[in-house]
Amino acid sequence: MAKLVLGVGASHSTLMNTHWEETTHKAEAERFRDALGAARDRIAAAQPDVVILLGSNHFRGFWLDLIPPFTLGVGECNASGESGTPKGPQNVDVDFARHLADEVVGSGKFDLAFSARLQIDHGQSHAIQYLLAGLDVPIVPLVVNVFAPPLPTFERCEGLALALRDAIASYPADTRVAVIASGGLSHRLPWPDWRDPHGEDEDFMVQAWLDGRQNWSDYDVRRRQIIRAAEAAISPEFDDRILDLFAVGKADELARYTSADIETEAGNGAQELRTWLMMAAIMDYIPAERLAYEAIPEWLTGMGVVVLDPAAAPAAH
């Protein structure tokens, strides 16, 4: 039977790649980057045979013509390669992925969408770049809709994670499984609710999300300009509270949050915390070790890294 060996939650930002030299909070940026390296070393030491990679999609692989709440990659997986992130085919453990899909759907608990030709973006490839660098380990990508409302509830995300945990446990091979959640913490993107855009920039964004499936790069220059012009809206108090919940093994309290709660307290970008909740649920909510937290305004985001290690978890948990 498969064994869970490590969980990691890590923020992402392509501005690490494109605007490192322009980052004025250099010490904070270096501490965060070093924490990613430390997490990568922990993953290497855990020797996983496969990594379940939970992440968002920033309208480069999913478009408003079709937005499933959850999509599991069960075949080919290609990364879009924007802003210096990995590009091209990614190594997927197809047998393990299809086992998860069969078990979750067969359980009757979830009608999980799947893709045999999945496109991911930096919502997952940033983690591949920094957390799996140099590691020859296949992935199973799971994309969670966090940007195109109506969003799956945090409670529903937890439920899928628990179904995935059961599916992992039923895998017959002695497979070592790590789980990575990419995204968050607090940040606000200059992105509209697609159902009610206001102004020229928001109209442009929604049009890009509708029409970009075949030519997303045609929209990307202006998209980046709109994002770079945004003012940072980071909430370190919120981020500390969330990280403290992980540290004491109470990340399940995230399941009580609503999308409106998150939007108000931490911005629309913090909706990505759904992936952190799912990772923690798969790992049975064992206490987490905080490797870093830095508020980096130039990256618009509260940047954090945590590790959930069953080997280090209290036996009484």
Side-chain angles (χ1 to χ4, degrees), residues 195-216:
R195 300 165 297 186
D196 187 28
H198 296 278
E200 185 178 342
D201 284 347
E202 292 194 357
D203 286 338
F204 168 82
M205 283 290 199
V206 173
Q207 201 62 43
W209 299 342
L210 280 168
D211 296 339
R213 181 175 291 279
Q214 302 302 325
N215 59 334
W216 65 265

Side-chain angles (χ1 to χ4, degrees), residues 232-299:
I234 302 172
S235 176
E237 298 83 4
F238 171 87
D239 294 339
D240 272 334
R241 189 164 71 249
I242 295 301
L243 292 172
D244 285 346
L245 290 176
F246 275 81
V248 297
K250 294 184 178 180
D252 60 326
E253 292 188 20
L254 259 178
R256 304 175 189 173
Y257 277 81
T258 67
S259 294
D261 294 334
I262 295 293
E263 174 83 21
T264 300
E265 293 189 46
N268 56 356
Q271 304 289 1
E272 290 175 322
L273 280 168
R274 285 166 169 80
T275 66
W276 286 51
L277 170 65
M278 294 175 71
M279 177 273 295
I282 292 171
M283 299 302 300
D284 198 26
Y285 293 116
I286 59 176
E289 177 185 354
R290 184 196 299 205
L291 300 188
Y293 175 74
E294 304 293 342
I296 305 181
E298 298 94 317
W299 298 352

Side-chain angles (χ1 to χ4, degrees), residues 20 24-33 294-296 299:
W20 181 268
T24 57
H25 290 72
K26 195 71 75 180
E28 292 87 342
E30 289 175 349
R31 285 195 294 267
F32 175 74
R33 183 182 60 187
E294 304 293 342
I296 305 181
W299 298 352

Side-chain angles (χ1 to χ4, degrees), residues 5-17:
V5 296
L6 202 73
V8 175
S11 305
H12 60 237
S13 173
T14 58
L15 296 169
M16 285 183 64
N17 295 346

Side-chain angles (χ1 to χ4, degrees), residues 87-315:
K87 182 177 183 179
Q90 303 301 310
N91 183 16
V92 174
D93 187 332
V94 173
D95 288 341
F96 187 67
R98 293 182 181 178
H99 168 82
L100 296 183
D102 288 344
E103 290 296 309
V104 170
V105 174
S107 71
K109 298 174 182 176
F110 278 86
D111 295 318
L112 179 66
F114 64 87
S115 173
R117 185 170 289 161
L118 182 68
Q119 180 174 315
I120 60 174
D121 66 14
H122 74 268
Q124 291 171 305
S125 60
H126 191 277
I128 294 171
Q129 180 176 14
Y130 288 99
L131 296 174
L132 300 180
L135 303 183
D136 185 19
V137 56
I139 64 170
V140 173
L142 177 63
V143 179
V144 182
N145 172 34
V146 302
F147 290 126
L151 308 180
T153 66
F154 278 81
E155 183 178 21
R156 190 66 169 160
C157 291
E158 179 188 46
L160 173 55
L162 296 176
L164 285 168
R165 181 177 173 80
D166 291 342
I168 293 165
S170 70
Y171 193 61
D174 293 328
T175 299
R176 298 173 64 82
V177 182
V179 187
I180 294 175
S182 182
L185 299 160
S186 66
H187 62 295
R188 186 173 298 280
L189 297 172
W191 287 7
D193 181 328
W194 67 272
R195 300 165 297 186
D196 187 28
H198 296 278
E200 185 178 342
D201 284 347
E202 292 194 357
D203 286 338
F204 168 82
M205 283 290 199
V206 173
Q207 201 62 43
W209 299 342
L210 280 168
D211 296 339
R213 181 175 291 279
Q214 302 302 325
N215 59 334
W216 65 265
S217 60
D218 293 346
Y219 295 93
D220 218 38
V221 172
R222 185 171 173 188
R223 278 170 48 124
R224 297 289 290 180
Q225 290 172 342
I226 292 170
I227 292 171
R228 289 294 297 157
E231 293 186 5
I234 302 172
S235 176
E237 298 83 4
F238 171 87
D239 294 339
D240 272 334
R241 189 164 71 249
I242 295 301
L243 292 172
D244 285 346
L245 290 176
F246 275 81
V248 297
K250 294 184 178 180
D252 60 326
E253 292 188 20
L254 259 178
R256 304 175 189 173
Y257 277 81
T258 67
S259 294
D261 294 334
I262 295 293
E263 174 83 21
T264 300
E265 293 189 46
N268 56 356
Q271 304 289 1
E272 290 175 322
L273 280 168
R274 285 166 169 80
T275 66
W276 286 51
L277 170 65
M278 294 175 71
M279 177 273 295
I282 292 171
M283 299 302 300
D284 198 26
Y285 293 116
I286 59 176
E289 177 185 354
R290 184 196 299 205
L291 300 188
Y293 175 74
E294 304 293 342
I296 305 181
E298 298 94 317
W299 298 352
L300 306 177
T301 305
M303 310 293 291
V305 183
V306 299
V307 170
L308 283 68
D309 186 348

